[in-house]
Amino acid sequence: LAFLGEESSGASLDCHGGIIGISGRPPKGAPPTIQISSVRGEDGKWSVPHDITIRNCKIYGSIRIMGLGPNGEAENVRQSSLNRNHTEFAQASAPSGIVLDNLTDVADGPAPIYLAPWVTKVTLSHSVINVNTRGSGLYLDAETGYNIISGNRFDVQTRNREVLAVDGSAHNVIENNIFTNAENGGIYLYRNCGEGGTIRHQTPQHNRIADNKFTYQDFGHPKPAIWTNASQ
């Protein structure tokens, strides 16, 4: 299911408890179950989706929201990072005003919810993230910001990563969430050094992290629940 460019702005999907996707491990290279992304036109300008709502769905697979590229190493992202006004331009070129509410996300494989660089004003609320992933359960990538993560339950098993990664993401609110058995770490804040030659402009600052609950069973020495200067 893809929401692409400005034409998808204002769309609303209410599944009323219905299912999107197919259970089981997705095949290698499979696209995300739900994708919300900007599209570059032939004139070089970016068509940007905004104000999209998805609620009351059970989702098998991943949700990916992206602007200039799928990750911090994309060539469009690298080129933009060479400019002084990089953060302002890139955030204006990425999706914003996205609401994900009352979802159940079941995934086995890639990071279930990924906010690619410069995505802003995403709300994830009243949802259950029930996944076994080789990455993090929720990833807020470089220059993302002003997102609200509230009232969710993270039942996430990772190989060796934290549940919620705040990688150079700023001005977010992360509150009233439950993290169960986060043995490899709960919420980690850091800034990567710039893979793929991309210059990181923004630090993980001005984030509000409050009233989250971490529960553990049968883990004698779990990694930190919250780490404000993690190294990746």
Side-chain angles (χ1 to χ4, degrees):
L1 183 62
F3 299 85
L4 305 178
E6 169 68 25
E7 293 182 352
S8 66
S9 295
S12 180
L13 172 65
D14 190 332
C15 296
H16 297 285
I19 295 173
I20 301 175
I22 301 173
S23 63
R25 178 178 290 273
K28 187 175 182 180
T33 303
I34 295 178
Q35 175 182 330
I36 302 172
S37 65
S38 302
V39 178
R40 193 174 191 178
E42 294 181 358
D43 58 0
K45 296 182 179 179
W46 289 89
S47 177
V48 183
H50 57 84
D51 300 311
I52 294 172
T53 299
I54 301 172
R55 56 168 40 103
N56 303 322
C57 303
K58 184 172 185 178
I59 298 167
Y60 287 106
S62 62
I63 301 172
R64 198 176 194 100
I65 306 174
M66 55 188 177
L68 299 182
N71 55 46
E73 301 176 47
E75 180 60 19
N76 288 326
V77 176
R78 188 189 71 81
Q79 290 288 345
S80 176
S81 76
L82 303 178
N83 301 314
R84 182 170 296 179
N85 68 337
H86 165 60
T87 299
E88 293 78 8
F89 167 76
Q91 288 186 347
S93 303
S96 66
I98 311 300
V99 174
L100 307 173
D101 181 62
N102 193 30
L103 305 180
T104 299
D105 191 357
V106 180
D108 185 0
I113 303 179
Y114 180 78
L115 274 57
W118 305 290
V119 170
T120 59
K121 299 179 181 178
V122 173
T123 297
L124 174 66
S125 57
H126 312 117
S127 296
V128 176
I129 314 303
N130 184 2
V131 300
N132 188 330
T133 177
R134 58 179 177 266
S136 298
L138 171 60
Y139 202 101
L140 310 181
D141 210 338
E143 322 285 335
T144 58
Y146 302 96
N147 304 295
I148 297 174
I149 314 300
S150 178
N152 306 288
R153 183 181 182 93
F154 292 90
D155 294 325
V156 177
Q157 294 182 351
T158 70
R159 291 184 183 178
N160 53 21
R161 291 295 303 265
E162 68 283 355
V163 173
L164 201 167
V166 183
D167 177 6
S169 186
H171 301 280
N172 302 293
V173 175
I174 304 171
E175 63 182 9
N176 297 316
N177 302 287
I178 298 174
F179 296 79
T180 63
N181 293 333
E183 60 174 321
N184 291 316
I187 304 169
Y188 280 20
L189 292 84
Y190 56 90
R191 179 170 65 167
N192 278 335
C193 59
E195 295 88 343
T198 298
I199 299 171
R200 300 298 184 101
H201 288 236
Q202 180 175 267
T203 60
Q205 59 185 347
H206 306 300
N207 293 290
R208 172 180 166 81
I209 302 174
D211 300 319
N212 298 286
K213 182 178 181 180
F214 299 84
T215 63
Y216 299 92
Q217 294 179 356
D218 304 325
F219 299 116
H221 302 283
K223 292 183 179 179
I226 300 174
W227 195 348
T228 59
N229 189 26
S231 176
Q232 296 291 335

